[in-house]
Amino acid sequence: MTGLPDPAASRAVLIGSAGYRHLAALPSVECNVKDLAAELCDATIWGLPEQHCTQVLDPQHPAEVLDPVNRAGEEATDTLLVYYSGHGMRDAATADLHLALQGSREHVGYTAVAYQHLRAALRDSSARRKVVLLDCCFSGRAASTLAGEEDALAAQAAVEGAYVLTASPRDAVALSPYGERHTAFTGELLTILRHGIHDGPELIDLDTLCRTMEARLRGKNRPLPQHAQEMGMGRLRLVRNRARAVRGTPAGPVLAADIRSAMVVAGLGLARTLRAAGRTRDALPVLRLALQERAPDGEGDPLAAQLELSDMLEETGQTREAMEVLEQAFQQVHRFYGPEAVQVCRRLASLLQESGNHIQACEVLEHALDLLQDGSRALSSLP
């Protein structure tokens, strides 16, 4: 395996359960999720686009955990990474692994998310490679069940064609040290991502990551991580080694895409400020330049900028060019569903109707109706 997973074709779902009604709270979990997302999206580490990294905090129902994983699994074609931080539970009757929710009760599996359901979602994913990070804490009977069974959790958590890295703490104190921002497992993971591995490879593979975490946690007398893998997934290079970074060396093509995406956002903001000040003609070249510099794959969702540009063009009497901008935007609405997509259709239909193209206007409005129906179905499927 060479290079890093393609950020554009990869997805991450980071799940954190910090607050509970019947279990001990884990305040460091929220920091785990937010800080891990920031590192994975850092262009000098992996460069995953923010819209490809979903954060789920304090889920109350299984669907709030499983739906994002299913969606990410359908979208990812390269690598799917799923992370869970919170209480891990063993059902009293079956001893199966469950992931705790806000209302979970100790040893009562049906109040939590059965790991077998998460594993099924991972197996159904179109991603070629899957990475699972489980930062679960155990207490009481669950802790004693794992004692002396080094690979019990990792074996149960295994997913076909995946690499599973787990923390198997024996009590909450060891997992979430008092006064520290992160849990022991995730804290060590973040340290490696932020500072790299001295004398390590330029790109850190999963086996190297696991070995380094194990050595460092052992040195701190903390619970040791477990892992399970299939199909040589341990050789997957997941992140850049910051300790090997050469000053002045660019992070790679991901950085350029991030800059172009930021230019669209910055250009839109400046253009709106100029327009609000009555300087519409000054705002026009700003937006044109921003849209010209956007990433070729459309990252950064240009629809809002295109809508703003078409508005200003129509306002300044350049109706024909406004229609051309909307027609370009219309080619993207199937990729960027949302309120802007529907607005593009409505604006374009209005201009088409004004210019006498009634049949085309109807076709565009039919597409807008399809978008609204798709959105309605998506909302009705949410818990």
Side-chain angles (χ1 to χ4, degrees):
M1 298 180 183
T2 59
L4 298 180
D6 178 8
S10 299
R11 299 292 186 273
V13 181
L14 312 182
I15 306 155
S17 191
Y20 302 92
R21 291 193 289 274
H22 308 291
L23 303 172
L26 299 171
S28 56
V29 164
E30 183 174 353
C31 297
N32 283 355
V33 171
K34 292 182 176 179
D35 291 352
L36 182 57
E39 299 308 318
L40 294 177
C41 294
D42 189 316
T44 64
I45 296 177
W46 183 8
L48 193 68
E50 290 186 10
Q51 64 268 32
H52 292 179
C53 185
T54 302
Q55 299 179 47
V56 180
L57 289 170
D58 288 328
Q60 299 185 49
H61 307 288
E64 293 179 40
V65 172
L66 299 173
D67 283 351
V69 175
N70 275 304
R71 283 195 295 271
E74 291 173 356
E75 296 170 357
T77 54
D78 190 321
T79 298
L80 171 63
L81 184 149
V82 176
Y83 165 92
Y84 171 83
S85 181
H87 282 294
M89 299 167 45
R90 289 292 183 93
D91 182 77
T94 64
D96 288 341
L97 175 63
H98 288 71
L99 308 178
L101 303 168
Q102 279 192 339
S104 295
R105 299 195 300 273
E106 191 173 3
H107 307 318
V108 185
Y110 64 79
T111 63
V113 178
Y115 182 78
Q116 61 178 331
H117 293 156
L118 177 60
R119 183 165 51 191
L122 291 163
R123 284 176 172 167
D124 291 341
S125 170
S126 57
R128 292 189 297 119
R129 302 173 292 201
K130 295 113 177 177
V131 179
V132 184
L133 306 175
L134 295 178
D135 189 352
C136 302
C137 66
F138 292 85
S139 60
R141 179 171 177 264
S144 61
T145 300
L146 284 180
E149 298 178 19
E150 183 180 358
D151 294 324
L153 176 57
Q156 186 184 16
V159 178
E160 183 178 355
Y163 190 98
V164 181
L165 181 61
T166 69
S168 181
R170 298 184 182 182
D171 55 64
V173 174
L175 176 67
S176 186
Y178 179 75
E180 295 188 17
R181 178 178 173 84
H182 306 106
T183 57
F185 175 86
T186 300
E188 210 60 59
L189 171 63
L190 287 168
T191 298
I192 294 172
L193 295 181
R194 289 168 174 168
H195 304 292
I197 303 171
H198 293 288
D199 300 323
E202 185 177 349
L203 301 178
I204 301 174
D205 59 73
L206 291 168
D207 279 343
T208 300
L209 180 66
C210 180
R211 286 196 303 269
T212 305
M213 289 183 66
E214 181 178 0
R216 294 183 180 183
L217 289 167
R218 189 190 304 277
K220 297 177 181 179
N221 197 29
R222 290 181 173 178
L224 303 181
Q226 303 173 23
H227 75 278
Q229 65 171 303
E230 291 190 1
M231 300 169 60
M233 275 290 295
R235 298 193 302 275
L236 173 64
R237 297 167 177 175
L238 186 64
V239 294
R240 297 178 178 88
N241 186 357
R242 270 191 164 174
R244 292 284 303 274
V246 179
R247 208 172 274 196
T249 300
V254 175
L255 186 58
D258 287 346
I259 291 174
R260 292 190 181 105
S261 177
M263 287 184 68
V264 175
V265 176
L268 178 59
L270 177 57
R272 284 174 172 169
T273 301
L274 290 169
R275 187 183 183 191
R279 300 172 57 187
T280 301
R281 292 194 179 278
D282 292 332
L284 280 170
V286 172
L287 264 186
R288 286 195 181 103
L289 178 62
L291 286 168
Q292 286 173 3
E293 291 298 325
R294 77 175 190 269
D297 59 0
E299 289 293 347
D301 191 351
L303 293 185
Q306 289 170 308
L307 277 168
E308 193 78 19
L309 178 58
S310 68
D311 265 1
M312 290 191 290
L313 288 168
E314 191 174 1
E315 183 181 310
T316 55
Q318 303 175 67
T319 305
R320 183 178 181 83
E321 189 178 349
M323 189 179 300
E324 291 175 356
V325 171
L326 286 174
E327 287 173 345
Q328 292 172 4
F330 184 69
Q331 302 303 317
Q332 303 293 324
V333 296
H334 67 286
R335 297 178 57 198
F336 301 104
Y337 171 73
E340 290 89 357
V342 177
Q343 287 181 43
V344 165
C345 296
R346 293 177 62 183
R347 299 267 185 87
L348 179 57
S350 177
L351 289 180
L352 287 168
Q353 188 173 14
E354 289 176 12
S355 63
N357 296 320
H358 301 292
I359 295 178
Q360 287 179 275
C362 288
E363 292 174 351
V364 171
L365 286 175
E366 285 178 2
H367 190 78
L369 181 60
D370 289 341
L371 287 174
L372 287 170
Q373 290 174 338
D374 290 344
S376 177
R377 283 194 291 269
L379 287 172
S380 66
S381 68
L382 293 175

